[in-house]
């Protein structure tokens, strides 16, 4: 086996591992958390990238500087807001492993063959397509066999939204990095089909992002010719969605809506506001969301579920921004603003790369910038907290982009010709 093939398989296996192990451990070992599986995957990843570990503790390491700043903020939180729960303290080593694994993985990717990386990413995309087709055609029976409780669990994922946030990243990378319009149309058509068959609103969000990237990265003349087709597709999509109450109920944020998905989203906003007020802007503390008094939406969710004690997504906020700001307060707001700016920069970088080259020679760069944009869905629409494969992929991508400023090896942005 050649070195390129070996790198390709290793990258593919590690990515699939992050999708497979956490939910399996969650279900089979009844841990009731994805964090244990994520920690195991992170340790394996760090072993594979063990030569890069020494860079973590370098005096010039951004990772080290960020860690020290957070420690100081945590001490201030403890003095003013109060101590955390036991769950918070036991989660600290796990999140450190995840950050460390993401950083070392990014450093490793700087030196791997770009062709190996591209084939591995495409392999993950095709595998996800197969997973979707397999679960739908078997009526989600595989997940039931392994003890998954969600009626439409997309094995190995616990539920459709977990699958959507993982698959969405690789769908966008595949879509953006292909210059053939026919390939792009096929990928959108397949994703749309899956999102309607499950059905799943989160996956539709990735389609909207894909179309936005297509418009922004296309030349003006091509856009003029493509506008009628895009407009017709948009109106058809809106018509289909409007006719299905599953989708309309999830985007209805009125106070009298009883849909739990919409209520969870509004609960996230309300908990964020209440947490900031309760702690004078400092935040509840790491992994402390859900310990604050319940909001009116929490009671509405309990009523909708038929139990006065029922809780849904109180600890993860429903979307990542809600959890981050509720727990870290001002620092969470700063991170959110930083993320929004990074999304904008990533969009312009993708546009510049595609227009400059006319093809996708800079695949690793495109993948990193696209992953940043893809994480906006977890950040603002539907997230599972800190212990998700999507968050890990985001951290790897962010580390890659930050490493770009430090003059990475030439292979990072070149020699990846399709």
């Amino acid at each position: 086996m050649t070195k390129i093939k070996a790198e390709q398989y290793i990258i593919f296996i590690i990515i699939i591992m992050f999708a497979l192990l956490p939910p399996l451990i969650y279900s089979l070992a009844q841990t009731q958390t994805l964090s244990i599986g994520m920690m195991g995957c992170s340790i394996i990843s760090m072993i594979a990238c063990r030569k890069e570990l020494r860079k973590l503790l370098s005096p010039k390491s951004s990772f080290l500087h960020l860690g020290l700043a957070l420690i100081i903020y945590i001490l201030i939180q403890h003095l003013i807001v109060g101590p955390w729960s036991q769950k918070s303290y036991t989660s600290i080593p796990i999140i450190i492993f995840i950050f460390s694994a993401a950083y070392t993985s990014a450093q490793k990717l700087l030196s791997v063959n770009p062709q190996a990386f591209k084939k591995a990413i495409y392999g993950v995309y095709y595998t996800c397509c197969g997973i979707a087709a397999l679960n739908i055609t078997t009526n989600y029976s595989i997940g039931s066999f392994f003890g998954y409780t969600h009626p439409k669990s997309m094995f190995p994922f616990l539920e459709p939204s977990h699958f959507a946030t993982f698959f969405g990243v690789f769908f966008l990378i595949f879509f953006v990095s292909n210059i053939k319009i026919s390939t792009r149309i096929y990928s959108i058509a397949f994703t749309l089909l899956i999102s309607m068959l499950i059905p799943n609103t989160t996956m539709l969000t990735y389609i909207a992002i894909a179309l936005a990237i297509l418009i922004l990265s296309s030349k003006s003349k091509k856009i003029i010719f493509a506008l009628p087709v895009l407009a017709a597709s948009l109106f058809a999509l809106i018509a289909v969605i409007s006719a299905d109450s599953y989708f309309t109920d999830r985007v209805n944020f009125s106070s009298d809506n009883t849909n739990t998905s919409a209520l969870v989203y509004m609960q996230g906003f309300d908990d964020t506001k209440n947490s900031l007020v309760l702690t004078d802007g400092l935040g509840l503390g790491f992994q402390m969301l859900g310990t604050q008094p319940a909001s009116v939406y929490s009671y509405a969710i309990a009523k909708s579920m038929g139990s006065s004690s029922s809780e849904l997504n109180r600890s993860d906020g429903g979307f990542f921004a809600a959890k981050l700001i509720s727990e870290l307060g001002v620092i969470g707001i700063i991170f959110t603003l930083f993320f929004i700016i990074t999304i904008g920069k990533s969009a312009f970088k993708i546009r510049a790369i595609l227009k400059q080259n006319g093809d996708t020679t800079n695949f690793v760069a495109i993948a990193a910038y696209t992953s940043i944009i893809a994480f906006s869905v977890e950040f603002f629409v539907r997230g599972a907290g800190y212990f998700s494969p999507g968050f890990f992929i985001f951290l790897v991508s962010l580390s890659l982009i930050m490493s770009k400023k430090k003059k990475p090896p030439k292979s990072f942005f070149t020699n990846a010709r399709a």
Side-chain angles (χ1 to χ4, degrees):
M1 183 184 294
T2 64
K3 181 182 178 182
I4 295 177
K5 280 287 185 182
E7 288 180 341
Q8 174 189 335
Y9 292 140
I10 290 172
I11 295 170
F12 173 82
I13 290 170
I14 288 177
I15 295 174
I16 292 297
M17 175 184 68
F18 273 95
L20 177 65
L21 284 186
L24 272 179
I25 293 175
Y26 176 100
S27 179
L28 299 179
Q30 297 184 343
T31 58
Q32 301 304 307
T33 176
L34 295 173
S35 61
I36 304 301
M38 286 295 296
M39 181 178 69
C41 292
S42 299
I43 292 173
I44 294 172
S45 177
M46 289 169 66
I47 292 173
C49 307
R50 55 191 176 278
K51 292 182 180 179
E52 283 71 27
L53 282 173
R54 65 181 184 278
K55 297 179 182 179
L56 276 173
L57 301 178
S58 169
K60 297 181 180 180
S61 171
S62 301
F63 179 88
L64 184 61
H65 296 162
L66 177 62
L68 292 173
L70 285 175
I71 289 172
I72 294 172
Y73 187 79
I74 287 169
L75 292 174
I76 296 172
Q77 259 192 341
H78 274 62
L79 289 172
I80 299 176
V81 180
W84 299 341
S85 66
Q86 183 179 354
K87 171 188 173 183
S88 304
Y89 295 113
T90 55
S91 296
I92 290 176
I94 301 175
I95 200 68
I96 290 175
F97 274 118
I98 291 173
F99 270 81
S100 301
Y103 181 84
T104 53
S105 296
Q107 298 305 309
K108 185 69 174 179
L109 286 175
L110 291 174
S111 59
V112 302
N113 184 280
Q115 277 293 337
F117 181 71
K118 180 176 182 178
K119 289 179 179 179
I121 295 297
Y122 277 23
V124 173
Y125 168 74
Y126 289 123
T127 300
C128 287
C129 291
I131 287 172
L134 180 64
N135 279 278
I136 291 173
T137 55
T138 58
N139 197 28
Y140 312 99
S141 59
I142 303 175
S144 300
F145 176 80
F146 282 94
Y148 287 19
T149 57
H150 196 284
K152 291 187 176 181
S153 57
M154 301 286 290
F155 181 84
F157 303 90
L158 293 174
E159 56 183 83
S161 61
H162 290 187
F163 169 76
T165 52
F166 183 81
F167 171 67
V169 177
F170 298 96
F171 156 67
L172 284 179
I173 295 174
F174 182 84
F175 178 87
V176 172
S177 63
N178 272 283
I179 58 174
K180 289 185 178 180
I181 190 66
S182 58
T183 304
R184 286 176 165 176
I185 291 174
Y186 289 143
S187 64
I188 280 189
F190 180 82
T191 306
L192 178 60
L193 177 64
I194 295 300
S195 65
M196 301 304 292
L197 288 175
I198 294 175
N200 187 262
T201 310
T202 306
M203 204 171 293
L204 290 176
T205 311
Y206 289 103
I207 295 176
I209 294 174
L211 292 175
I213 292 175
L214 176 63
I215 293 172
L216 289 172
S217 62
S218 298
K219 295 180 180 179
S220 56
K221 290 183 179 179
K222 290 185 177 181
I223 284 296
I224 292 174
F225 287 111
L227 276 177
V229 177
L230 291 173
S233 302
L234 181 62
F235 283 125
L237 181 60
I238 292 173
V240 171
I241 293 173
S242 300
D244 192 333
S245 61
Y246 173 89
F247 296 107
T248 55
D249 287 348
R250 278 160 173 73
V251 294
N252 177 12
F253 300 114
S254 62
S255 58
D256 58 346
N257 188 10
T258 58
N259 181 271
T260 53
S261 294
L263 289 172
V264 162
Y265 199 74
M266 291 186 285
Q267 174 186 252
F269 275 104
D270 209 40
D271 282 347
T272 301
K273 179 192 70 176
N274 295 339
S275 299
L276 290 173
V277 172
L278 183 67
T279 62
D280 295 322
L282 284 174
L284 297 166
F286 179 62
Q287 288 288 74
M288 288 291 286
L289 184 59
T291 61
Q292 81 284 4
S295 69
V296 293
Y297 295 108
S298 300
Y299 293 115
I301 291 170
K303 182 180 178 181
S304 177
M305 296 177 68
S307 173
S308 59
S309 60
S310 295
E311 291 187 348
L312 195 63
N313 295 99
R314 281 205 71 206
S315 62
D316 64 30
F319 56 101
F320 193 84
K323 184 172 181 65
L324 188 70
I325 296 173
S326 296
E327 295 184 351
L328 296 183
V330 176
I331 294 295
I333 294 173
I334 293 173
F335 282 155
T336 301
L337 294 175
F338 167 76
F339 179 63
I340 293 172
I341 293 170
T342 306
I343 290 175
K345 288 183 177 179
S346 297
F348 281 110
K349 288 290 185 181
I350 290 173
R351 184 172 182 267
I353 292 171
L354 294 182
K355 284 194 170 185
Q356 179 182 357
N357 295 307
D359 57 16
T360 55
T361 55
N362 295 337
F363 180 80
V364 181
I366 289 175
Y369 290 125
T370 304
S371 297
I372 294 292
I373 296 173
F375 188 67
S376 63
V377 177
E378 280 200 50
F379 206 96
F380 297 114
V381 179
R382 179 67 175 93
Y386 308 118
F387 307 116
S388 74
F391 183 51
F392 176 80
I393 294 170
F394 163 73
L395 291 175
V396 173
S397 301
L398 186 62
S399 297
L400 279 170
I401 291 172
M402 292 177 68
S403 297
K404 168 184 174 287
K405 300 175 183 179
K406 301 175 183 177
K407 297 181 180 180
K410 188 177 180 182
S411 62
F412 177 52
F413 286 116
T414 57
N415 301 327
R417 190 168 298 277

